[in-house]
Amino acid sequence: MRCVEIHGFGNPADVVTAGERPVHDPGPGEARVRLVLSPIHNHDLAIIRGVYGYKPALPAVPGTEALGVIEALGEGVRHLGVGQRVMTASAQHTWAESFVSPAAKLVPAPAGLADEAACQLLAMPMSALMLLEDLRVQRGQWIVQNAANGAVGKTLAVLAAQRGIGVVNLVRRREALDDLASAGIGGGVATDDPAWRDAVRAITGGAPVVRAIDSIGGEASQRLMSLLADEGAELIVFGSLTFEPVVVSGGDLIFKQALVKGYWASRRFAATSPADLARLIGELAAQAQAGTLPLPVGGIHALSDARAAMLAAEQPGRRGKVLLRPD
């Protein structure tokens, strides 16, 4: 079968290559899945760079989320069937024409949900929904997030607004505000505007900001910290687009009594019960089918065109997730 391989860590466009590997039979409790579509996430790019929470053994086939069709079942798998359309996240080796996965990590794709939406439903939208619920924010309170024009940012903004939670959506460039507006998302502020702090105050009306979600790191973390309320607020580090250390003011930490903590959605996903997972997927699928949850696609590339796909995925101003498909 054809696949995408890396033989070393580094810049994704420089290290991905087209490869071939044998097709494996599933073992007990496993299933082999024929790939339909697999998205390229920021954490996939971080894994390829060797800066994520784990490093795969080399040579490796990247990819962590996919939509596919079950080709074969291993011993003991009863809840799935050959030919069934399934989704998976927190997986491995999905950038291949087929891959073997623990059957417990495969989720039946909702009927009627388009392939382009189903292939990216679990990782980013699910992460956003889980994060939102874990923030413990009440209707009428305010939160702020950076990288708001990303997949998680857009989903979080939409879901929070539906719950009556105010959201300030920070982006790094003024051009990105158009992307938010096209998705029907308000509360956007570009931090390259010298008066961006005034714009934030105008949006919140001076109300306290109780949570901040940081997906960038570096100096951007302190920008969020500076917006937080004077007591009991939290800065949640969700991602690190810059791969730089989080920088926050010791004075703000002390005098605001602020809490800084990390959030790794993969662990939250693994700890979620099947019943709760079904509830979360049901909400996201219903919204995706209704068109209220933005899941745009920024291009679809064949596995053999992986280098161009990596370049597209890291293109500034990209609108929508870049997807990989079999050749």
Side-chain angles (χ1 to χ4, degrees):
M1 66 174 181
R2 295 179 180 177
C3 64
V4 177
E5 285 186 331
I6 60 170
H7 294 259
F9 300 109
N11 180 49
D14 296 333
V15 299
V16 296
T17 62
E20 288 191 357
R21 292 198 172 193
V23 176
H24 294 289
D25 291 327
E30 295 180 333
R32 188 174 72 236
V33 180
R34 173 174 54 81
L35 177 67
V36 175
L37 289 170
S38 181
I40 302 173
H41 294 305
N42 287 327
H43 62 257
D44 294 318
L45 301 173
I47 289 170
I48 295 171
R49 285 189 165 91
V51 296
Y52 196 59
Y54 83 96
K55 288 186 178 181
L58 298 174
V61 176
T64 55
E65 183 177 19
L67 171 74
V69 176
I70 293 178
E71 288 185 322
L73 296 172
E75 182 183 349
V77 179
R78 302 281 187 267
H79 66 290
L80 299 171
V82 173
Q84 188 172 9
R85 200 173 67 129
V86 292
M87 310 176 295
T88 185
S90 299
Q92 295 180 14
H93 319 308
T94 64
W95 294 355
E97 289 182 319
S98 70
F99 58 92
V100 172
S101 169
K105 287 190 173 183
L106 300 175
V107 179
L113 185 62
D115 291 349
E116 293 80 3
C119 76
Q120 56 174 311
L121 189 72
L122 292 185
M124 298 297 103
M126 182 69 75
S127 297
L129 181 52
M130 288 177 169
L131 173 60
L132 181 60
E133 293 191 352
D134 292 346
L135 290 178
R136 309 179 314 280
V137 179
Q138 304 300 314
R139 177 178 292 272
Q141 291 185 307
W142 282 89
I143 64 175
V144 60
Q145 63 170 338
N146 56 25
N149 57 324
V152 169
K154 288 177 180 175
T155 303
L156 186 69
V158 168
L159 297 176
Q162 292 171 353
R163 288 160 168 76
I165 298 168
V167 189
V168 178
N169 295 299
L170 301 184
V171 295
R172 288 183 282 187
R173 299 169 293 102
R174 298 181 196 185
E175 296 82 2
L177 293 175
D178 294 336
D179 190 15
L180 292 180
S182 66
I185 297 171
V189 176
T191 55
D192 63 355
D193 184 340
W196 72 270
R197 296 179 190 276
D198 294 333
V200 170
R201 283 190 287 269
I203 291 171
T204 64
V209 177
V210 298
R211 300 288 186 272
I213 299 96
D214 181 18
S215 294
I216 298 178
E219 298 292 339
S221 306
Q222 177 56 32
R223 294 191 191 100
L224 292 177
M225 177 65 78
S226 70
L227 300 174
L228 284 174
D230 287 338
E231 185 174 354
E234 297 179 8
L235 172 64
I236 293 88
V237 180
F238 182 85
S240 182
L241 290 174
T242 62
F243 304 110
E244 296 176 1
V246 169
V247 177
V248 295
S249 161
D252 281 340
L253 280 173
I254 296 168
F255 300 119
K256 291 188 175 188
Q257 301 182 63
L259 176 66
V260 180
K261 62 182 182 181
Y263 193 94
W264 193 6
S266 291
R267 290 189 177 175
R268 170 66 158 83
F269 191 95
T272 303
S273 69
D276 201 31
L277 188 62
R279 174 185 65 85
L280 296 168
I281 292 173
E283 176 177 348
L284 293 172
Q287 297 221 28
Q289 289 174 306
T292 55
L293 180 65
L295 294 172
V297 173
I300 301 177
H301 295 256
L303 293 172
S304 59
D305 197 25
R307 183 178 185 276
M310 301 303 114
L311 292 171
E314 299 202 281
Q315 181 67 33
R318 167 181 53 82
R319 296 187 180 185
K321 193 67 67 175
V322 176
L323 310 179
L324 289 169
R325 61 166 176 80
D327 284 74

